[in-house]
Amino acid sequence: MFVALCITLFYIIFVWFVFFKAQWLKFNIAWGIVSFWVGAHLLLIFLVALRFFQPMSIDSHVVRSTIQIVPRLTQPTLLSEVLVTPNQPVKKGEPLYKFDDTIFSQQLALAQAQLAAAEQNAKVLEQDVIAASEAVVRANAQLNYAKTQQKRYETLVPQGGARQEELDRWNERVIEDTATVHESEANLAKAKLGQGSQIDGVNTGVAEARAQLAEAQYFMDNTTIYAPADGMIVSQQAKPGLVVGEIRLGSIASFVLDEDPYILASYRQQNLKFVEPGQPVEVALDLYPGEILNGEVEAVWWATRQGQYLPSGRLPNFVLPKAPGHIAVQIKVDVPEGHTFPAGGHAAVAIYTGKGQSFEFLRRINMRLYSFANFIRPLNI
């Protein structure tokens, strides 16, 4: 900076001495144009230094995250109550909208009844296993008795102690009881399969009923929409009577969050040669003329739309843009207590890279002139 000032001062003294003090040359229009042209190029030292070491952008806006409010309901439902007014600050968890819950409350009651029935059925399956086990024991006892009688009559008949008809009857009885045992064992296996149909130790029927109950409870809970974070609804378009649900493709409102606002400033690419995260920043927000807010570089977004191509069968078509591509810089600002930081608010931003510090005072003057000029801009008199 000192060298640039010395060169400029020397040039001014040189011009004064040559044309006015020593009068070696006669000052005229031609020499005036030449002198001005050379002097203007000397002033480029200041312009180049400021653009690289203290870049400034007036294309800067406040950005706040927004959440699209989309009802999560299974069928068309009427909006019954709007519980929030536009620009009203709300805290996380406060209710925003309430929908008609008639159908969803009935579905919840039905799911509760189905769960109770499933749990009762699981108990019935346990008793079925017990009854089937007892039936197997009883069938085996009858079969054993029939076999004992069969052996007894097989001894008595040859000796004339019993008739052949009795032996035939017990032979048939053994066959019948054997079939009964097989049937009882099959029924026991079937009962055990029904009881053993489980997921993580829970009967599948009960698990299915619990899942249906949880789903019904979920949609019942979603008949009231709550604030996802601290913030506000800016443009309130939803009114009672609005139909929402599965046929609606878009959101009914945009929720603007209070947390983590930042400024996104656009810079020409060549001005960001020395810009890095953590460097100090001055912000002149148009909403507060005459004030300078402090901040720092949070990130440089090293990507632009010109660098994005979607998959297709067409080759890229390179067209020379009207203006060089700009790069966005994310700025974190220290907002004083009581100040509003509106989404979309316009500002001027200057970044101080730490290089060429002797030029910083010029950019600081520039920023303050911009800020104080906001008192009278625009001049719509």
Side-chain angles (χ1 to χ4, degrees):
M1 177 65 177
F2 178 75
V3 174
L5 288 175
C6 289
I7 293 174
T8 304
L9 182 60
F10 174 79
Y11 176 73
I12 293 174
I13 295 174
F14 175 78
V15 171
W16 170 80
F17 183 80
V18 170
F19 290 104
F20 300 101
K21 180 63 177 177
Q23 296 185 353
W24 291 342
L25 298 172
K26 184 179 181 180
F27 190 80
N28 52 34
I29 296 177
W31 280 114
I33 293 174
V34 172
S35 301
F36 176 78
W37 186 83
V38 175
H41 280 73
L42 287 175
L43 293 176
L44 287 177
I45 298 175
F46 300 94
L47 178 61
V48 171
L50 288 175
R51 290 184 64 188
F52 279 91
F53 299 145
Q54 294 85 31
M56 177 181 175
S57 172
I58 59 173
D59 184 12
S60 309
H61 296 84
V62 178
V63 178
R64 285 186 176 276
S65 299
T66 59
I67 297 177
Q68 302 302 308
I69 303 298
V70 180
R72 298 176 294 275
L73 301 173
T74 57
Q75 53 191 303
T77 308
L78 285 174
L79 175 61
S80 56
E81 293 183 64
V82 176
L83 307 174
V84 64
T85 58
N87 302 314
Q88 171 191 348
V90 295
K91 296 294 184 181
K92 181 178 180 180
E94 292 186 16
L96 302 177
Y97 303 99
K98 186 173 180 59
F99 301 93
D100 180 31
D101 62 358
T102 302
I103 296 178
F104 299 100
S105 61
Q106 292 175 353
Q107 291 177 345
L108 179 61
L110 177 61
Q112 291 172 339
Q114 290 175 338
L115 176 60
E119 291 175 342
Q120 185 65 28
N121 184 61
K123 295 179 181 178
V124 171
L125 291 176
E126 293 178 0
Q127 296 302 317
D128 287 345
V129 171
I130 295 175
S133 300
E134 293 176 350
V136 170
V137 172
R138 187 165 53 253
N140 281 315
Q142 292 176 351
L143 176 61
N144 291 333
Y145 176 74
K147 287 181 177 180
T148 300
Q149 290 294 96
Q150 182 187 41
K151 291 181 180 179
R152 181 180 178 185
Y153 278 93
E154 285 177 348
T155 303
L156 292 175
V157 169
Q159 297 175 358
R163 293 180 300 177
Q164 182 64 37
E165 291 83 357
E166 293 293 328
L167 176 60
D168 295 339
R169 185 170 64 83
W170 285 110
N171 288 336
E172 294 176 357
R173 182 70 178 271
V174 167
I175 295 174
E176 291 178 358
D177 289 348
T178 301
T180 301
V181 169
H182 292 163
E183 182 181 3
S184 300
E185 290 176 345
N187 290 334
L188 176 60
K190 181 179 179 181
K192 288 183 177 181
L193 286 175
Q195 185 189 30
S197 177
Q198 298 181 350
I199 298 177
D200 296 332
V202 180
N203 180 267
T204 53
V206 175
E208 181 181 0
R210 287 178 180 176
Q212 292 175 348
L213 176 60
E215 180 180 356
Q217 185 67 58
Y218 172 81
F219 288 114
M220 181 64 184
D221 294 341
N222 276 277
T223 56
T224 300
I225 295 181
Y226 300 90
D230 294 351
M232 61 182 174
I233 299 291
V234 176
S235 178
Q236 180 64 275
Q237 301 298 323
K239 302 296 181 183
L242 176 69
V243 178
V244 300
E246 64 178 359
I247 63 172
R248 187 176 184 87
L249 301 179
S251 61
I252 62 173
S254 293
F255 188 84
V256 182
L257 275 64
D258 287 344
E259 62 182 8
D260 300 330
Y262 60 90
I263 285 182
L264 202 61
S266 174
Y267 287 88
R268 292 182 182 273
Q269 297 180 25
Q270 58 268 36
N271 295 355
L272 299 179
K273 182 177 181 180
F274 301 109
V275 173
E276 297 177 356
Q279 292 174 342
V281 170
E282 284 189 335
V283 176
L285 196 64
D286 290 2
L287 182 61
Y288 296 103
E291 293 189 32
I292 298 295
L293 305 180
N294 296 318
E296 66 176 26
V297 175
E298 201 165 25
V300 181
W301 292 12
W302 293 113
T304 65
R305 185 177 180 182
Q306 289 83 356
Q308 180 185 31
Y309 288 94
L310 299 179
S312 70
R314 303 179 62 181
L315 296 176
N317 181 23
F318 297 98
V319 179
L320 183 64
K322 295 181 179 179
H326 285 215
I327 295 293
V329 179
Q330 183 175 330
I331 307 297
K332 182 179 180 181
V333 181
D334 301 326
V335 183
E337 186 71 24
H339 279 51
T340 302
F341 208 46
H346 181 264
V349 175
I351 301 174
Y352 300 99
T353 64
K355 301 179 184 296
Q357 296 183 3
S358 55
F359 291 92
E360 284 188 4
F361 82 96
L362 293 176
R363 183 60 78 197
R364 295 184 186 276
I365 292 174
N366 189 188
M367 287 292 294
R368 282 149 183 80
L369 288 174
Y370 176 92
S371 183
F372 279 98
N374 285 327
F375 280 112
I376 57 176
R377 295 177 62 246
L379 294 174
N380 294 329
I381 300 178

